[in-house]
Amino acid sequence: NAWKTLYQGTLDFNRSFGNHTIGAMGGVSYETSHRKTVELDSWDFASDDIHTFNTAATLRSWDDSETEWALMSYFGRLQYNFGDRYLVSASLRRDGSSRFGENNKWGIFPAFSATWRISEESFMAPVGWLSNFKIRASWGQTGNDNIGNYSSFGRLSPDNYAYGGGLVYGFAPSSPDNPSLSWETTTTTNLGLDFGFLANRITLAVDVYQNDTEDLLFDVPAPAISGFKGSLTLNSGAIQNRGIEIELASTNIRSSAFGGFTWRTMFNLARNENEVKSLGYGIKEIIGQLRSQPTHITTAGLPIMSYYLYDYVGLYTEADIEDPNVAKYDNAEAGNEKIVDQNGDGIIDDDDRTVIGDNLPD
């Protein structure tokens, strides 16, 4: 069974005088989650109609677990609007997560934004066909704590050891503590333009952005020299995403007849470039596997999880099979996939895998 609790309280203040509007908001929230599970697996029941565990001939497996986590947050925001032309907003969050180490449970995340609605300026009055023209800019940080509930703690794993001249079943440390484990932080910068034409019957929005994620949370194998056999969660490395988004919309029909029939069309285009800036801790690359075979690679200068596979260039012919100068893998036959010998050693093996693309569309 599982249960969650959420307590949240906010205070709001808004006031207008003349062309000025001021708004303020502050709040606090506290969230907890508790989960308990029990798994039983039995077979060979005395009757197909009775599936209670006491009627099974064999209890095949039994497992139970219990986990909990908590998140505490303080947040506030200030907003200012002058004549619906100049809009400024600033916010600040302070979040504390039980998932992080004792030294770094709390993170502070500010954000700022500003908008200039140029179309509301007096000098734009003669431009009647331009109903909206707005410039937007924003900068902000967010935190990520989406990891296991106990990743900062060292783990114990089943192990055998010698005692009294015999082999004894017990436990041994498999990973070290990491009391400095902390928030993964993403910093986002965005610049945008909004246009409205012909009483906003046609609208255009253009956004250019850059997201820089630092102190990535990921698991790395513990160094063998440390004596630990498992992995540990670290803050390490940086990834960058940047791109552009364009959205064009039009209201072709807006009629009060036929039940207020409206016909709108929309076109959007987006491009994003992802690049691993670093992995940190002297880590050169991380190889992902599927069914014990290397399939993906994460390394600096490439998109995350790039395809790390063989480069196929057709099929082997009978002439290829008989030619000793053509690199082949063991038991290759005519009609098999022909693979590029990337390192030129005359043998096709795992060393000939290469980056052949990524899963991000152009």
Side-chain angles (χ1 to χ4, degrees):
N1 61 56
W3 61 92
K4 287 187 176 182
T5 57
L6 173 63
Y7 304 95
Q8 189 172 73
T10 59
L11 290 174
D12 288 278
F13 170 82
N14 293 279
R15 185 176 180 181
S16 298
F17 49 96
N19 290 327
H20 307 276
T21 300
I22 297 176
M25 183 273 291
V28 60
S29 74
Y30 178 65
E31 184 177 2
T32 62
S33 175
H34 198 123
R35 183 181 181 89
K36 295 179 69 175
T37 62
V38 177
E39 298 179 5
L40 298 172
D41 183 12
S42 295
W43 66 299
D44 195 10
F45 289 88
S47 170
D48 291 338
D49 298 321
I50 303 176
H51 292 161
T52 57
F53 288 101
N54 62 325
T55 64
T58 304
L59 180 63
R60 186 154 45 188
S61 65
W62 170 53
D63 188 24
D64 64 348
S65 65
E66 183 175 1
T67 60
E68 58 183 340
W69 58 267
L71 179 68
M72 184 80 179
S73 301
Y74 303 93
F75 48 89
R77 183 184 65 213
L78 293 173
Q79 293 177 305
Y80 172 71
N81 182 339
F82 178 76
D84 209 26
R85 287 180 289 169
Y86 311 108
L87 299 90
V88 180
S89 177
S91 65
L92 184 67
R93 292 186 61 94
R94 184 172 186 261
D95 298 309
S97 174
S98 65
R99 291 170 169 168
F100 294 127
E102 194 65 30
N103 301 337
N104 284 314
K105 291 188 180 296
W106 291 89
I108 297 177
F109 308 104
F112 309 93
S113 66
T115 300
W116 180 20
R117 198 186 301 268
I118 302 175
S119 55
E120 296 299 315
E121 299 287 356
S122 58
F123 60 79
M124 292 294 295
V127 190
W129 53 269
L130 186 62
S131 48
N132 182 38
F133 179 26
K134 184 168 59 178
I135 298 177
R136 298 175 281 105
S138 63
W139 178 93
Q141 292 185 325
T142 57
N144 174 34
D145 69 339
N146 190 21
I147 55 174
N149 291 326
Y150 307 106
S151 296
S152 66
F153 295 104
R155 293 173 173 80
L156 296 175
S157 298
D159 209 342
N160 296 323
Y161 63 98
Y163 180 76
L167 195 63
V168 180
Y169 178 80
F171 292 87
S174 59
S175 64
D177 290 333
N178 185 4
S180 298
L181 187 66
S182 188
W183 291 86
E184 176 182 293
T185 303
T186 297
T187 302
T188 300
T189 303
N190 189 93
L191 297 174
L193 294 173
D194 292 328
F195 299 92
F197 307 96
L198 306 176
N200 288 329
R201 296 293 290 267
I202 301 175
T203 60
L204 174 66
V206 181
D207 284 272
V208 179
Y209 65 88
Q210 178 170 305
N211 297 340
D212 292 292
T213 302
E214 299 178 322
D215 297 326
L216 295 173
L217 293 165
F218 64 87
D219 291 335
V220 298
I225 195 173
S226 68
F228 296 104
K229 298 180 179 180
S231 62
L232 66 157
T233 305
L234 298 174
N235 291 105
S236 179
I239 292 177
Q240 183 182 88
N241 285 277
R242 58 182 180 177
I244 183 171
E245 297 178 350
I246 301 172
E247 181 178 278
L248 177 65
S250 64
T251 302
N252 309 306
I253 297 178
R254 186 165 52 200
S255 172
S256 58
F258 306 107
F261 175 75
T262 300
W263 173 27
R264 287 175 54 84
T265 57
M266 185 176 294
F267 169 80
N268 62 75
L269 177 68
R271 174 172 174 79
N272 180 75
E273 295 181 355
N274 174 275
E275 180 183 353
V276 177
K277 307 302 288 188
S278 70
L279 294 178
Y281 285 97
I283 302 172
K284 181 181 178 182
E285 61 189 27
I286 299 175
I287 304 295
Q289 292 191 343
L290 179 64
R291 297 174 182 172
S292 302
Q293 293 295 319
T295 54
H296 298 80
I297 185 171
T298 298
T299 187
L302 294 176
I304 189 170
M305 296 290 284
S306 293
Y307 296 133
Y308 187 59
L309 303 166
Y310 296 115
D311 187 7
Y312 294 98
V313 288
L315 304 176
Y316 286 118
T317 64
E318 291 287 357
D320 290 331
I321 298 300
E322 296 174 2
D323 189 348
N325 295 319
V326 176
K328 296 177 283 291
Y329 43 85
D330 290 342
N331 302 319
E333 298 179 354
N336 292 160
E337 297 92 341
K338 188 175 183 179
I339 298 173
V340 176
D341 183 13
Q342 299 290 340
N343 57 8
D345 63 358
I347 301 173
I348 300 300
D349 54 21
D350 283 349
D351 294 334
D352 294 304
R353 294 180 185 270
T354 188
V355 176
I356 63 172
D358 58 78
N359 60 3
L360 298 175
D362 294 333

